[in-house]
Amino acid sequence: MELPKYITNNIKLSPQKEAELYSYFEKLKFKKGEFLYEQGSVCRSIFFIKEGLARAFYYSDSGKEITGWFALENEFITAFDSFYYKTVTNINCELLEDTILYALSTADLELLLEKDHDFAKIAFNILSQITMNIVEFMGTLKFQTAKERYLFLTEKHPQIPQRVTLQHIASYLGITRETLSRLRAEL
Amino acid sequence: MELPKYITNNIKLSPQKEAELYSYFEKLKFKKGEFLYEQGSVCRSIFFIKEGLARAFYYSDSGKEITGWFALENEFITAFDSFYYKTVTNINCELLEDTILYALSTADLELLLEKDHDFAKIAFNILSQITMNIVEFMGTLKFQTAKERYLFLTEKHPQIPQRVTLQHIASYLGITRETLSRLRAEL
DNA sequence: GTTGTCGTGTGACCTATATCAAAAAATGAA
DNA sequence: TTCATTTTTTGATATAGGTCACACGACAAC
């Protein structure tokens, strides 16, 4: 495997250390429709997507699926509070395509943090990216019209409307599929 | 100063190191209404609130204030993407009460990360808390009725409705003050 | 082929919430 | 205290978007 440069930036690892770092990541393959973690369980890994696409969502009180964010190639995804505190999550993470990813378990992250100063810095960078992805998707969601939010998404993440069904996009935007359908008809 | 135990958990620092750690934090006092950072500038610090209350918000295209999240005592707040990448932010952070806080600059955080393994672990814990605060406030905002969202907020963060004006709560919930006022009249 | 499933589109109707406007209440300064 | 400013409430009306119901097209399985 290879972590993107934004993670190892400024941190020079000897070949042995690099090999050791990568040995903590487990390569996994999933089929479209499978889950990385589900509500009611503890999310025990951080996932780095090599190929494919994941969606994090939860159910509202009224039972509707609400998509919180997506993660694409070269991005990390996890239920961070669950991962960190080892508590039960209420988030589900579904793969929307056949996906290849690298998983880093809580235990191994803790090892990385403890074992070596450079590894701890890398752990910090990984968490930075997770935070960034969440902040990114959170932005500009409230208080605009549905059309504005849709246009913002297509502009900022053009890949997503191409690879994700309209239902999931609608649930991310906080509107119904019907409204999204009508809204697209107007464009 | 003293950082909360959730930050220094499991990390034993000698008194000298602890003193060194705290020397990186600068104690600052702000008056109600002042800003920690503003859109169009780079956010150059992580702020740890000792006493007081801050609100992070941005302006929608139509010029409305949209509150993203709040930070109370013993919590951290920053515009993380701006802080980390040293880019211009579009977020404003306003103090809603007279506030005493400790600021850690980007440069000093980088120093902490580099200088010492234990300090790097502490930096990781700080970032964990920032992430947690954001994730926390993001949850359960889409696709519920305004009343459900308000009740969720009052239950999860009862301090906030007590200390924050209705306008700011409304802008956090993504509704107008009028709607929030009517909704409260019904309860 | 036929059938089933899944994603999307369209129509009719309804309700939650926005908007505009203006009156009360609360807060703070002189 | 009094006056000015800010915040909250209330009312009347308009609208974005929800709900329900059903039709259409694309695939996959048989």
Side-chain angles (χ1 to χ4, degrees):
Chain A
M1 82 171 286
E2 200 185 331
L3 286 172
K5 54 194 172 311
Y6 62 68
I7 295 299
T8 45
N9 231 356
N10 309 321
I11 302 165
K12 290 172 215 80
L13 294 176
S14 66
Q16 301 95 297
K17 269 209 190 168
E18 189 169 315
E20 187 189 345
L21 170 65
Y22 289 150
S23 75
Y24 288 102
F25 287 83
E26 186 185 3
K27 186 177 188 174
L28 297 171
K29 294 186 184 195
F30 287 86
K31 287 275 165 207
K32 177 176 175 177
E34 293 188 292
F35 283 77
L36 290 181
Y37 49 88
E38 283 180 86
Q39 56 183 291
S41 67
V42 176
C43 171
R44 298 189 188 283
S45 295
I46 285 173
F47 302 95
F48 175 72
I49 298 177
K50 170 80 176 155
E51 210 181 301
L53 170 51
R55 169 177 85 103
F57 70 96
Y58 59 90
Y59 290 96
S60 75
D61 296 346
S62 45
K64 261 173 240 143
E65 280 190 11
I66 298 176
T67 299
W69 59 90
F70 300 97
L72 296 157
E73 279 84 11
N74 290 316
E75 292 177 352
F76 290 90
I77 192 165
T78 190
F80 187 71
D81 56 336
S82 172
F83 173 83
Y84 188 79
Y85 287 132
K86 303 178 178 74
T87 51
V88 162
T89 184
N90 65 332
I91 309 269
N92 305 277
C93 183
E94 177 195 15
L95 296 162
L96 301 181
E97 298 177 355
D98 291 355
T99 297
I100 298 170
L101 49 78
Y102 295 98
L104 175 68
S105 69
T106 314
D108 285 344
L109 179 78
E110 283 166 0
L111 252 173
L112 281 181
L113 273 169
E114 283 306 322
K115 199 161 183 188
D116 183 277
H117 187 177
D118 282 329
F119 288 169
K121 282 151 66 181
I122 286 171
F124 182 91
N125 285 345
I126 289 175
L127 179 53
S128 299
Q129 289 311 124
I130 291 170
T131 306
M132 229 76 89
N133 193 41
I134 296 172
V135 170
E136 169 91 51
F137 272 105
M138 273 183 18
T140 320
L141 268 177
K142 288 180 261 191
F143 242 138
Q144 320 242 14
T145 64
K147 192 188 274 185
E148 285 168 334
R149 278 176 278 152
Y150 177 71
L151 290 172
F152 184 80
L153 177 69
T154 54
E155 192 194 318
K156 200 141 191 182
H157 301 277
Q159 291 224 31
I160 289 177
Q162 284 160 27
R163 293 167 65 183
V164 172
T165 63
L166 288 192
Q167 335 197 22
H168 292 148
I169 293 173
S171 100
Y172 167 66
L173 295 173
I175 57 177
T176 59
R177 339 179 207 99
E178 294 94 325
T179 300
L180 181 54
S181 177
R182 280 186 254 266
L183 178 166
R184 278 160 47 100
E186 286 174 23
L187 294 178
Chain B
M1 87 171 281
E2 200 187 331
L3 285 171
K5 52 194 172 315
Y6 62 69
I7 294 298
T8 45
N9 231 356
N10 309 320
I11 302 165
K12 291 171 216 80
L13 294 177
S14 67
Q16 301 94 297
K17 270 211 192 165
E18 188 169 314
E20 187 189 344
L21 171 65
Y22 290 151
S23 75
Y24 288 102
F25 288 82
E26 185 186 3
K27 185 176 187 173
L28 297 171
K29 293 186 185 196
F30 288 87
K31 287 273 165 208
K32 177 175 175 176
E34 293 188 292
F35 283 77
L36 290 181
Y37 48 89
E38 282 180 85
Q39 56 183 294
S41 67
V42 176
C43 171
R44 297 188 190 283
S45 295
I46 286 174
F47 302 95
F48 175 73
I49 299 178
K50 170 81 177 154
E51 211 182 300
L53 169 51
R55 169 177 85 103
F57 70 97
Y58 58 91
Y59 290 96
S60 74
D61 296 346
S62 45
K64 261 173 243 144
E65 280 190 12
I66 298 176
T67 299
W69 59 89
F70 301 97
L72 296 157
E73 279 85 9
N74 290 315
E75 292 178 351
F76 290 90
I77 192 164
T78 190
F80 188 70
D81 55 336
S82 172
F83 173 84
Y84 188 79
Y85 287 133
K86 303 179 178 73
T87 51
V88 162
T89 184
N90 66 333
I91 309 267
N92 304 277
C93 184
E94 178 196 14
L95 296 161
L96 301 182
E97 300 176 354
D98 291 355
T99 297
I100 298 170
L101 50 77
Y102 295 97
L104 174 68
S105 70
T106 316
D108 286 342
L109 179 78
E110 282 166 1
L111 252 173
L112 280 181
L113 274 169
E114 283 306 321
K115 199 161 181 187
D116 183 277
H117 188 178
D118 283 328
F119 288 170
K121 283 151 65 180
I122 287 171
F124 183 91
N125 285 346
I126 289 174
L127 178 53
S128 299
Q129 290 310 126
I130 291 170
T131 306
M132 228 77 87
N133 194 40
I134 297 171
V135 169
E136 169 91 48
F137 273 106
M138 274 182 19
T140 320
L141 269 178
K142 289 180 259 193
F143 243 140
Q144 320 240 17
T145 65
K147 191 188 274 186
E148 285 168 333
R149 278 175 280 152
Y150 177 71
L151 289 173
F152 184 80
L153 176 70
T154 54
E155 192 194 318
K156 202 143 190 183
H157 301 278
Q159 289 224 33
I160 290 176
Q162 285 162 25
R163 294 168 62 183
V164 173
T165 63
L166 286 193
Q167 341 196 21
H168 293 147
I169 292 172
S171 100
Y172 166 67
L173 295 173
I175 57 178
T176 59
R177 349 183 197 91
E178 293 95 324
T179 299
L180 180 55
S181 176
R182 278 186 256 265
L183 179 166
R184 275 158 47 101
E186 287 175 22
L187 293 177

